[in-house]
């Protein structure tokens, strides 16, 4: 944060746009890592609204040096950028920009090109430097006039410098946003390594100590520990209590005694003890070897965390934030403070830049002064909940300290398998046990339920489940209506007092059927809650479902490889079919992440004229610039315009310009290890669901009522909300098994804009300038966004 690390893109807005009101502006983007999706979005959105776009290569250094470092950007100059890590326009630390003389040179270079607006992508150092530049702007122009470097009328013409920031930092150490660009990709690299290490550690009964980045912020260490079920985690915001060495060794020893063949300890590079003394990986290794004699290895991940292909989450986040940044610049005035575009839950918001910077600095101050509890709170509710959830799941209390509830809770998976289901089950089981309940696992959904495939499940039984794909409990699409009598009998036999159902649309239908059966069977008059888990993301009442992120990454990775296969060949268009039933989420959002030219879905009807227009659009692009095209089709988008039909149409109409290939992705979208997002989403949402069940069990036990006790827990914009399933019936298209309104449909114009289509873009849902809220109320918590 002390040195300015940056690289830049700039944009000058010249012509009025037909869809947005545009004034003459300029924009520069300061970049750190994994920013290519953001660069692409800003450049193309800028061109879409009639902008003149510039790249500033090598960040602030390029802005100070000027010359060839500041070049005009074109639509084609950001093609094929999405899958490339890092930043293609360079990034550099610039000490000169920290001086007044350096900023004077930078101002001169910008004024020469009419650039008076900056979009800054970076950490708090880059953003703070940009804000200082903005505050000094008028004075810098005056000095340039005095030195005869610019004309006097330029002071009036370029009187104000406008700034919008996007936070790019793999550490996720910037207050005001749930997630910074680059963090999810870093988590992918960490989890890939951890999963690989766990295999060898289990084979050889080893202890591994892993150091991850995070000099001042323990987010990566904390979330990766949560995602892999690490035995111990050390972070700078919450140093361990005195005597932690003995407690850690006891924990490791107890886990080995419980037949666990490996131990994983994750350490943030900035980990400290209560006396601000660094805790190093070598120190921990020596401690474990000396006290326990375990075969111990150290792995320092280093800069591997910064590299590699960006994840689907990062591409979508960067694209959304890039477009929002351009919109924010269009709305700035001389009195508008510098703002930063942030993510809150599933919604983009704009916050005053310096408010966020000041709160970020307050975190470090609190840590320096050993006010660690306050430092955790200042990090935000997402960080705080991550820490609480990790403690709840990783450290089991002695039996004597556990509450005794005398309640039995059953957990089951319903519907198709989805990556992250096992993490959700693990979380539910361990939270339930911590709440004093006896937990029961039901195999094979409601089919196993009526057959009596029910058994008690213990704390250790779910160890190592977070990284497992599919459903270890087994899952079926069977609905309970035909077997309610037998299910009621099993509920009675095992004295089941509450149900947690993890699944997709079938799980939603199942709860509706059990709710109806309450009139006949008292056994169903118990708290029941559903956690959405389906790759299709078609469950009403929730913007996101467990498993959808893993499927998106599978689609994105496959599309990257397919497009790469055409490298060096003649122009080619790929037609890709995705899963999703009638829900077009995977095709639309996967298309945005992969840089698709079109995505055909059921929710947006299309006919032969639309198909012809898309072919002509691609043909024109192929003639002038791009070498490869990508078209996605949701499997049930249209019963007549099949994948084969679209492939044949494109092949015939593109003859002489491009050829075509098709690929049906199929069930590979459901398989594989869950992504870091799905592991943590499943873990935290399931923990919250179990805590709700505990609360309802006490209420219904005392009052004998079950009102509003059959709910779905889902993310709605910024909030995690428990919603009675009976109320969600009005929001559901049961014929096509989709919600009547779906938030991601607003992203479709964005995908078209980035593919160079002339289309209208609805700005009614764009972020509005807000203020940083230090303590959001619990009901508005959407911290499961990671």
């Amino acid at each position: 944060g002390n040195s300015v690390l940056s690289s830049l893109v700039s944009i000058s807005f010249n012509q009025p746009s037909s869809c947005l009101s545009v004034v003459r502006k300029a924009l520069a983007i300061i970049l750190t890592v994994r920013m290519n999706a953001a660069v692409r979005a800003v450049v193309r959105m800028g061109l879409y609204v009639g902008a003149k776009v510039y790249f500033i290569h090598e960040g602030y250094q390029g802005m100070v040096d000027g010359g060839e470092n500041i070049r005009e950007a074109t639509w084609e100059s950001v093609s094929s950028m999405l899958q490339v890590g890092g930043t293609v326009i360079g990034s550099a630390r610039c000490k000169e920009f920290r001086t007044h003389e350096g900023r004077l040179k930078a101002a001169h270079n910008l004024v020469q090109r009419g650039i008076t607006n900056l979009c800054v992508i970076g950490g708090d150092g880059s953003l703070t430097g940009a804000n200082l530049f903005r505050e000094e702007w008028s004075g810098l122009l005056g000095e340039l006039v005095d030195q005869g470097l610019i004309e006097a009328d330029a002071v009036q013409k370029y009187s104000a410098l406008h700034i919008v920031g996007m936070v790019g930092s793999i550490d996720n150490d910037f207050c005001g946003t749930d997630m910074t660009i680059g963090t999810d990709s870093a988590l992918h690299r960490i989890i890939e390594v951890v999963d690989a290490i766990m295999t060898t550690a289990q084979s050889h009964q080893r202890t591994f100590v892993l150091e991850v980045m995070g000099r001042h912020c323990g987010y990566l260490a904390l979330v990766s520990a949560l995602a892999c079920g690490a035995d111990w985690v050390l972070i700078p915001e919450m140093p361990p209590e005195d005597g932690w060495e003995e407690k850690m060794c006891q924990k490791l020893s107890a886990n080995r005694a419980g037949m666990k063949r490996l131990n994983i300890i994750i350490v943030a590079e900035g980990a400290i003890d209560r006396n601000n003394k660094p805790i190093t990986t070598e120190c921990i290794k020596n401690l474990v070897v000396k006290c326990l004699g375990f075969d111990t290895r150290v792995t320092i991940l280093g800069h591997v965390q910064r590299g590699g292909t960006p994840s689907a989450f990062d591409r979508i986040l960067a694209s959304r934030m890039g477009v929002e940044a351009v919109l924010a610049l269009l709305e700035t005035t001389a009195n508008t403070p510098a703002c930063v575009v942030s993510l809150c839950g599933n919604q983009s918001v704009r916050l005053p830049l310096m408010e966020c910077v000041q709160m970020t600095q307050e975190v470090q101050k609190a840590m320096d002064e050993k006010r660690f509890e306050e430092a955790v709170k200042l990090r935000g509710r997402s960080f705080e909940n991550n820490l609480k959830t990790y403690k709840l799941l990783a450290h089991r209390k002695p039996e004597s300290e556990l509450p005794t509830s005398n309640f039995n809770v059953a957990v089951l998976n319903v519907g198709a398998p989805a990556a992250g289901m096992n993490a959700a089950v693990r979380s539910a089981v361990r939270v339930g046990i911590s709440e004093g309940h006896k937990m029961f696992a039901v195999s094979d959904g409601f089919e196993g339920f009526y057959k009596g495939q029910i058994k008690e499940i213990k704390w250790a039984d779910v160890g190592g489940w977070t990284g497992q794909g599919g459903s270890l409990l087994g899952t079926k699409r069977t609905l309970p209506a035909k077997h309610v009598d037998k299910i009621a009998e099993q509920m009675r036999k095992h004295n089941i007092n509450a149900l947690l159902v993890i699944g997709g649309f079938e799980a939603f239908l199942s709860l509706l059927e059990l709710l109806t059966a309450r009139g006949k069977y008292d056994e169903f008059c118990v708290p029941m809650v559903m956690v959405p888990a389906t790759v299709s993301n078609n469950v009403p009442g929730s913007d996101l479902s467990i498993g959808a992120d893993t499927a998106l990454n599978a689609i994105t990775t496959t599309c990257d490889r397919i497009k790469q296969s055409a490298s060096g060949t003649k122009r080619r268009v790929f037609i890709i079919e995705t899963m999703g039933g009638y829900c077009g989420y995977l095709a639309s959002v996967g298309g945005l992440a992969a840089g698709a030219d079109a995505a055909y879905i059921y929710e947006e009807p299309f006919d032969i004229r639309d198909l012809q227009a898309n072919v002509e659009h691609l043909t024109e692009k192929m003639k002038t610039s791009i070498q490869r095209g990508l078209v996605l089709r949701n499997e049930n988008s249209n019963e007549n315009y099949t994948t084969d039909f679209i492939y044949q149409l494109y092949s015939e109409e593109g003859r002489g310009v491009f050829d075509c290939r098709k690929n049906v992705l199929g069930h590979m979208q459901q398989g594989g290890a869950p992504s870091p997002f799905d592991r943590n989403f499943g873990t935290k949402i399931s923990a919250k669901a179990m805590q709700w069940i505990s609360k309802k069990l006490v209420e219904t036990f005392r009052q004998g009522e079950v009102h509003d006790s059959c709910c779905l827990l889902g993310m709605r914009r910024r909030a995690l909300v428990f919603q009675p399933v009976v109320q969600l019936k009005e929001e559901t298209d049961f014929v096509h098994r989709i919600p009547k309104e779906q938030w991601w449909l607003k992203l479709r114009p964005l995908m078209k804009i980035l593919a160079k289509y002339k289309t209208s873009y609805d700005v009614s849902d764009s972020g509005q300038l807000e203020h940083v809220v230090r303590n959001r109320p619990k009901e508005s918590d959407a911290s499961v966004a990671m």
Side-chain angles (χ1 to χ4, degrees):
N2 293 328
S3 297
V4 177
L5 177 64
S6 60
S7 62
L8 299 134
V9 175
S10 65
I11 299 181
S12 295
F13 298 99
N14 295 326
Q15 306 104 345
S17 168
S18 59
C19 55
L20 294 169
S21 174
V22 179
V23 295
R24 178 178 170 80
K25 292 189 175 183
L27 175 147
I29 304 177
I30 303 173
L31 305 164
T32 53
V33 290
R34 296 191 183 93
M35 298 304 157
N36 290 323
V39 173
R40 174 178 177 269
V42 172
V43 168
R44 292 192 168 179
M45 188 65 181
L47 292 171
Y48 168 75
V49 298
K52 190 172 184 181
V53 184
Y54 292 92
F55 286 139
I56 301 182
H57 292 264
E58 309 307 331
Y60 282 127
Q61 189 66 58
M63 190 160 66
V64 171
D65 294 342
E68 286 299 308
N69 289 301
I70 305 177
R71 305 175 198 168
E72 187 172 349
T74 64
W75 194 277
E76 291 73 25
S77 62
V78 291
S79 295
S80 303
M81 289 178 65
L82 274 174
Q83 66 270 31
V84 181
T87 167
V88 298
I89 60 174
S91 177
R93 295 188 184 275
C94 181
K95 292 183 178 179
E96 193 173 359
F97 188 76
R98 297 175 63 194
T99 68
H100 183 80
E101 293 74 15
R103 292 191 290 274
L104 189 64
K105 291 180 184 178
H108 185 215
N109 289 325
L110 294 186
V111 170
Q112 283 182 314
R113 294 163 178 81
I115 299 171
T116 56
N117 297 268
L118 302 178
C119 177
V120 184
I121 310 179
D124 60 336
S126 298
L127 296 172
T128 303
N131 190 65
L132 175 61
F133 190 41
R134 169 183 172 271
E135 291 174 347
E136 293 181 343
W137 182 258
S138 59
L140 294 172
L141 294 191
E143 290 183 49
L144 291 173
V145 171
D146 293 341
Q147 295 176 19
L149 295 175
I150 61 174
E151 299 295 330
D153 61 353
V155 176
Q156 181 62 33
K157 189 175 182 180
Y158 306 117
S159 59
L161 180 68
H162 304 288
I163 290 177
V164 172
M166 284 187 279
V167 189
S169 166
I170 69 166
D171 293 337
N172 201 31
D173 57 353
F174 194 81
C175 294
T177 184
D178 286 347
M179 201 72 160
T180 57
I181 302 171
T183 302
D184 187 67
S185 297
L187 286 170
H188 273 258
R189 302 294 88 78
I190 294 170
I191 295 304
E192 286 166 7
V193 172
V194 172
D195 285 351
I197 281 176
M198 289 179 77
T199 305
T200 186
Q202 189 156 0
S203 300
H204 297 278
Q205 296 195 58
R206 284 179 178 154
T207 296
F208 269 87
V209 185
L210 279 78
E211 180 184 287
V212 301
M213 284 187 168
R215 202 180 318 162
H216 304 291
C217 178
Y219 184 87
L220 288 178
L222 179 58
V223 173
S224 55
L226 198 56
C228 71
D231 298 271
W232 203 268
V233 64
L234 293 157
I235 59 174
E237 290 88 348
M238 185 55 68
E241 301 285 349
D242 292 340
W244 64 272
E245 297 92 341
E246 182 180 351
K247 291 180 181 178
M248 184 186 74
C249 289
Q250 288 175 351
K251 170 77 184 301
L252 299 180
S253 180
N255 284 346
R256 285 290 179 93
M259 303 305 291
K260 186 176 180 181
R261 294 175 59 84
L262 76 156
N263 300 113
I264 299 290
I265 302 168
I266 296 183
V267 186
E269 61 178 327
I272 54 175
D273 63 17
R274 291 276 162 172
N275 298 311
N276 286 332
K277 180 184 176 182
I279 300 176
T280 66
T281 51
E282 200 61 33
C283 167
I284 295 172
K285 174 190 173 181
N286 294 336
L287 175 67
V288 174
V289 171
K290 179 182 178 181
C291 296
L292 301 175
F294 291 171
D295 186 3
T296 306
R297 299 287 190 274
V298 170
T299 299
I300 298 176
L301 298 188
H303 281 76
V304 69
Q305 297 158 85
R306 292 189 180 275
T309 301
S311 68
F313 184 99
D314 267 337
R315 299 185 197 193
I316 296 161
L317 176 63
S319 297
R320 291 177 67 185
M321 296 300 102
V323 169
E324 184 66 35
V326 173
L327 296 176
L329 274 176
L330 294 178
E331 298 170 11
T332 56
T333 66
N335 298 321
T336 304
C339 76
V340 61
V341 179
S342 302
L343 180 72
C344 181
N346 194 34
Q347 189 177 12
S348 59
V349 297
R350 302 176 193 171
L351 300 171
L353 170 59
M354 292 314 296
E355 285 188 19
C356 297
V357 170
Q358 287 164 8
M359 183 176 287
T360 303
Q361 293 170 347
E362 285 180 27
V363 176
Q364 188 60 50
K365 183 180 178 182
M367 291 163 59
D368 292 339
E369 297 175 357
K370 300 184 181 181
R371 293 181 284 113
F372 298 114
E373 296 284 349
E374 186 178 346
V376 169
K377 291 183 181 296
L378 287 170
R379 278 280 180 231
R381 192 168 294 278
S382 175
F383 189 94
E384 189 177 6
N385 280 357
N386 278 321
L387 185 57
K388 287 179 179 177
T389 306
Y390 175 78
K391 289 180 176 179
L392 193 62
L393 299 179
H395 303 291
R396 185 182 183 184
K397 294 180 181 178
E399 295 285 346
S400 58
E401 295 181 19
L402 290 175
T404 304
S405 69
N406 296 320
F407 290 121
N408 296 340
V409 181
V411 57
L412 65 159
N413 296 332
V414 177
M421 275 184 164
N422 297 320
V425 172
R426 170 184 176 269
S427 176
V429 168
R430 292 197 169 181
V431 172
I433 292 172
S434 296
E435 299 277 337
H437 309 317
K438 184 179 286 188
M439 299 299 297
F440 287 84
V442 182
S443 300
D444 297 333
F446 283 105
E447 184 174 316
F449 209 137
Y450 81 79
K451 291 180 179 178
Q453 296 172 200
I454 306 168
K455 64 177 182 179
E456 186 178 356
I457 187 166
K458 302 284 189 176
W459 184 282
D461 295 335
V462 292
W465 279 33
T466 54
Q468 300 292 317
S471 168
L472 293 175
L473 284 185
T475 181
K476 295 287 181 70
R477 296 179 183 271
T478 306
L479 298 179
K482 293 182 180 179
H483 310 285
V484 287
D485 54 340
K486 294 181 180 178
I487 294 172
E489 181 183 338
Q490 293 296 331
M491 295 272 288
R492 190 164 53 250
K493 178 180 177 181
H494 293 89
N495 190 27
I496 302 299
N497 306 114
L499 283 180
L500 173 61
V501 182
I502 302 166
F505 202 86
E506 290 87 358
F508 174 63
L509 294 176
S510 297
L511 255 63
L512 288 173
E513 291 181 356
L514 293 180
L515 188 63
T516 302
R518 279 181 172 179
K520 187 175 180 181
Y521 300 95
D522 290 339
E523 287 79 7
F524 299 125
C525 295
V526 298
M528 295 184 283
V529 64
M530 172 191 165
V531 169
T534 168
V535 300
S536 301
N537 198 32
N538 64 331
V539 176
S542 186
D543 291 351
L544 299 173
S545 298
I546 300 167
D549 183 74
T550 304
L552 281 176
N553 278 284
I555 293 168
T556 303
T557 301
T558 305
C559 288
D560 287 349
R561 292 175 179 174
I562 287 173
K563 288 197 295 183
Q564 189 181 47
S565 72
S567 220
T569 66
K570 58 184 179 180
R571 293 180 173 90
R572 180 165 288 170
V573 173
F574 298 94
I575 314 296
I576 311 294
E577 181 182 298
T578 67
M579 294 179 76
Y582 285 96
C583 180
Y585 176 81
L586 290 180
S588 295
V589 181
L592 179 60
D597 295 277
Y600 300 117
I601 63 172
Y602 166 78
E603 293 91 341
E604 193 173 281
F606 58 96
D607 56 25
I608 194 65
R609 291 179 293 274
D610 298 312
L611 291 171
Q612 184 64 34
N614 293 152
V615 173
E616 292 173 356
H617 180 78
L618 251 180
T619 302
E620 190 63 31
K621 287 172 66 176
M622 286 285 186
K623 288 178 180 178
T624 58
S625 57
I626 66 170
Q627 300 293 314
R628 290 160 290 178
L630 182 66
V631 175
L632 271 62
R633 177 188 176 273
N634 166 247
E635 58 183 347
N636 288 342
S637 56
N638 190 293
E639 61 180 350
N640 295 314
Y641 300 134
T642 62
T643 301
D644 284 336
F645 178 90
I646 293 174
Y647 163 70
Q648 292 167 6
L649 176 67
Y650 273 72
S651 296
E652 181 62 30
E653 296 300 317
R655 191 184 301 274
V657 180
F658 60 81
D659 65 2
C660 281
R661 295 290 186 272
K662 64 176 178 179
N663 195 302
V664 177
L665 300 186
H667 284 76
M668 65 170 291
Q669 297 159 85
Q670 283 184 316
S675 68
F677 182 95
D678 278 331
R679 299 183 193 200
N680 287 282
F681 185 32
T683 296
K684 289 196 285 187
I685 195 172
S686 189
K688 195 174 184 72
M690 273 306 306
Q691 290 168 336
W692 177 88
I693 282 177
S694 296
K695 179 183 176 184
K696 286 294 178 181
L697 282 171
V698 173
E699 290 177 358
T700 56
F701 178 76
R702 290 177 178 174
Q703 301 172 13
E705 298 177 355
V706 289
H707 299 305
D708 296 335
S709 62
C710 185
C711 291
L712 180 147
L713 174 58
M715 180 191 287
R716 304 298 291 261
R717 293 170 71 86
R718 303 189 194 188
L720 269 179
V721 184
F722 288 96
Q723 305 145 96
V725 292
V726 68
Q727 293 180 11
L728 294 175
K729 290 173 67 176
E730 300 300 318
E731 302 177 20
T732 307
D733 176 354
F734 285 95
V735 175
H736 298 101
R737 299 159 62 90
I738 56 175
K740 291 179 179 178
E741 293 185 10
Q742 303 186 82
W743 68 273
W744 52 264
L745 286 170
K746 293 182 179 180
L747 298 181
R748 284 186 58 82
L750 170 57
M751 184 190 72
K752 293 177 182 178
I753 288 169
L754 298 181
K756 210 175 183 178
Y757 283 89
K758 292 180 173 63
T759 184
S760 60
Y761 185 70
D762 181 12
V763 297
S764 62
D765 198 44
S766 62
Q768 302 299 316
L769 189 64
E770 304 177 12
H771 290 284
V772 178
V773 180
R774 292 174 182 268
N775 293 302
R776 290 188 183 122
K778 289 185 179 179
E779 61 269 22
S780 66
D781 170 39
S783 58
V784 291
M786 273 297 267

